[in-house]
Amino acid sequence: MSESAVKWPSGRGRFVTFEGGEGTGKSTQIKKLADRLKAARMRILVTREPGGSPGAEIMRHLVLSGMGKLLGPEAETLLFAAARDDHVRTLIQPALNQGTWVLCDRFADSTRAYQGSLGRVPAALINAMQRVTIGDLKPDLTIILDLPVEIGLQRAAARRGSGTPDRFEAEKLGFHQGLREAYRKIAADDPARCVLIDANSDPDTVAGRVWTALRDRLLPTPASVVSV
Ligand code: Z5A
């Protein structure tokens, strides 16, 4: 089904999040999906976490510099929560209310995977923070890109060149393996929202898988397709 054959849903926008470990291709795939949706004349907002709004970008600088790690996992979780609160309130929710589709590079699942599973921050604290920051807002679809960690880290290193790894890129191999497992569990625990996508192929092939997931989950059934 091509974009031109789709009768796009109207009303509130749809919220699509991309998740996965280092170098799995989230930014690459968001750009490809955004281009495809824009070609279909959809109103699209591409954003990211941590960051996305001016206040949250300040928090991004703080956490990726390693400052949050010095404060400990619980405090670092609060920094991500503060950034998310600003991002949801000032950017994501208003856009969805206006009918814009929001594509977000990382969201609340990143806190569950990085701070929860890997940082051992208790689920009770993460749940409490989530209630405050996002309330009832839940992604309509979460694409989880899955890739052997060695390949993801190679891709991230190649992109970085001679630059310094950030606070999370600098973690050891075992951390990244644990991260992959955490994301696979998130996908298995919430199959109605999450789709685990094999990201170990060329970018266009992965983009095809992402499109299929979006079409199957968020677009109208074939009965409402407009023929062209
Ligand atoms: N974090 C957290 O701990 N808690 C939270 O609640 C939140 C975040 C929200 C943000 O980093 C960090 O914050 C993140 C988790 C933590 N950890 N780290 N690091 P970031 O925003 O700076 O970066 P990232 O989100 O981790 O992105 P990434 O993993 O570095 O990259 P990516 O977006 O997944 O991949 P990419 O930029 O699209 O591609 C990477 C390279 O691979 C690039 O050169 C591409 O051209 C290449 N690429 C992409 N796809 C392919 C394919 N299919 N084949 C070959 N090469 C490819």
Side-chain angles (χ1 to χ4, degrees):
M1 181 166 57
S2 76
E3 296 85 331
S4 57
V6 171
K7 184 168 182 279
W8 294 89
S10 56
R12 175 190 170 275
R14 300 296 189 268
F15 184 30
V16 182
T17 57
F18 281 70
E19 297 278 1
E22 308 306 302
T24 47
K26 299 175 293 298
S27 312
T28 303
Q29 291 304 322
I30 285 195
K31 182 169 183 328
K32 285 183 176 292
L33 180 60
D35 288 348
R36 195 160 178 175
L37 292 170
K38 280 179 196 158
R41 300 181 185 280
M42 298 289 295
R43 261 185 296 151
I44 300 296
L45 171 71
V46 174
T47 186
R48 67 173 180 184
E49 288 210 349
S53 58
E57 285 292 327
I58 295 171
M59 308 302 283
R60 176 186 177 87
H61 180 70
L62 205 63
V63 281
L64 294 190
S65 72
M67 180 66 86
K69 188 178 183 183
L70 294 177
L71 299 174
E74 277 82 7
E76 193 175 42
T77 302
L78 298 181
L79 294 179
F80 281 113
R84 184 161 302 132
D85 182 66
D86 189 68
H87 189 208
V88 167
R89 229 174 353 94
T90 67
L91 195 72
I92 295 177
Q93 196 67 72
L96 292 171
N97 291 346
Q98 287 164 14
T100 299
W101 284 41
V102 177
L103 309 183
C104 190
D105 192 339
R106 297 194 179 282
F107 193 61
D109 292 314
S110 285
T111 303
R112 291 202 180 279
Y114 282 79
Q115 282 67 52
S117 299
L118 277 300
R120 307 217 179 285
V121 172
L125 175 62
I126 292 182
N127 292 341
M129 285 296 102
Q130 187 158 317
R131 276 196 298 280
V132 173
T133 55
I134 67 178
D136 293 336
L137 177 67
K138 192 176 163 190
D140 297 290
L141 172 66
T142 295
I143 301 285
I144 300 183
L145 297 178
D146 183 59
L147 186 67
V149 291
E150 294 82 358
I151 299 175
L153 291 173
Q154 277 165 16
R155 286 186 190 170
R159 184 196 48 197
R160 187 171 63 243
S162 56
T164 314
D166 72 26
R167 176 249 182 280
F168 292 99
E169 288 169 347
E171 294 282 357
K172 300 207 167 58
L173 196 61
F175 176 94
H176 294 286
Q177 270 152 352
L179 197 54
R180 186 183 188 199
E181 287 316 309
Y183 273 122
R184 292 171 77 101
K185 182 168 182 335
I186 286 170
D189 286 349
D190 195 351
R193 171 176 66 88
C194 301
V195 180
L196 189 74
I197 293 212
D198 175 7
N200 194 9
S201 299
D202 66 87
D204 286 339
T205 302
V206 179
R209 293 174 188 145
V210 170
W211 179 256
T212 300
L214 182 122
R215 182 197 63 197
D216 292 351
R217 299 296 184 100
L218 297 186
L219 298 188
T221 56
S224 58
V225 168
V226 177
S227 50
V228 288

